[in-house]
Amino acid sequence: FFMANNKPKIIIAGGGMVGLSLARQLIDREITNRIIILEKEASLGCHSSGRNSGVLHAGIYYKPNSLRAKVCIEGSRRLINWMEEKNLFINKCGKLIIPQQKNLDDKLSMLEKRGLENGARVEMIDEKRIKKICPLVRTSSGRGLWSPNTCVVDPKVVLKTLESELLEKGVILKKSQDSWEVD
């Protein structure tokens, strides 16, 4: 991989979203670019990273001030900024949460409170506004929770772009079909 006097400093097992993001952070924080990523598959995104929905959640569901809530909101914000810098498509569709039964309406208030405490943009909307956003939706309680910052990305495009960026910065990516022998 590297000449004898320039051995890798970091070896990352797995070239999914976590592995590639970790490598990018090591470079961005100027820790090292002497990184090898070992991916067991022939291509990236064969498992969870490439098969997820691509939804960037706004931080509504997690317990306020929890690590999950903070990571969700900050991670989503950072990924959106990075994708905009790279001119990658982001479907900024928002999310509408509607109770299926009238007795579930109080859950909307709980989700609104959580979202607001976590710093997410959410608002309770009435049936008229619901119809403007999504004409075919029916609400059992007459209201819904609108999350305008929820969006959708293509995880395979994110992976491919991260891969290209890392290769340009000197990271070595070895996939299953490559020789994994160390010089």
Side-chain angles (χ1 to χ4, degrees):
F1 298 129
F2 292 103
M3 299 165 82
N5 62 352
N6 193 17
K7 293 244 185 254
K9 191 169 186 179
I10 304 282
I11 298 174
I12 297 173
M17 203 67 75
V18 172
L20 297 181
S21 297
L22 176 60
R24 185 173 180 273
Q25 287 301 305
L26 290 167
I27 293 168
D28 286 354
R29 294 174 188 208
E30 299 180 349
I31 295 170
T32 186
N33 72 333
R34 291 176 23 212
I35 301 167
I36 295 176
I37 300 173
L38 303 176
E39 171 53 52
K40 72 176 181 175
E41 302 296 345
S43 61
L44 301 178
C46 292
H47 300 286
S48 299
S49 293
R51 294 182 180 176
N52 73 56
S53 65
V55 174
L56 300 185
H57 294 280
I60 297 169
Y61 300 105
Y62 302 120
K63 181 180 172 184
N65 299 311
S66 66
L67 181 59
R68 284 183 119 177
K70 291 173 186 174
V71 168
C72 177
I73 291 172
E74 180 64 13
S76 179
R77 184 191 62 75
R78 289 176 66 189
L79 182 57
I80 290 168
N81 288 341
W82 177 80
M83 290 184 70
E84 287 174 343
E85 286 172 16
K86 302 289 178 186
N87 292 315
L88 301 176
F89 177 73
I90 305 167
N91 182 355
K92 295 183 177 182
C93 54
K95 181 179 194 171
L96 183 58
I97 303 170
I98 303 291
Q100 295 175 332
Q101 300 169 353
K102 197 168 190 159
N103 66 327
L104 297 174
D105 185 71
D106 63 328
K107 300 292 184 196
L108 288 180
S109 298
M110 182 214 40
L111 291 174
E112 178 187 36
K113 183 176 187 271
R114 275 189 177 180
L116 292 171
E117 286 179 17
N118 285 333
R121 276 187 56 212
V122 292
E123 66 178 292
M124 204 62 72
I125 60 174
D126 62 15
E127 199 159 4
K128 184 177 177 184
R129 180 103 184 272
I130 290 168
K131 291 293 180 194
K132 276 186 160 181
I133 294 169
C134 201
L136 300 178
V137 168
R138 300 204 190 288
T139 173
S140 61
S141 68
R143 64 186 198 145
L145 187 63
W146 174 238
S147 170
N149 287 349
T150 300
C151 58
V152 181
V153 302
D154 183 337
K156 289 191 177 183
V157 170
V158 173
L159 288 167
K160 195 70 184 155
T161 306
L162 266 173
E163 177 185 20
S164 295
E165 183 179 288
L166 292 171
L167 292 173
E168 286 174 15
K169 293 181 179 194
V171 172
I172 295 174
L173 180 59
K174 294 290 184 178
K175 300 174 187 171
S176 66
Q177 78 274 11
D178 301 326
S179 168
W180 287 17
E181 290 182 26
V182 178
D183 296 335

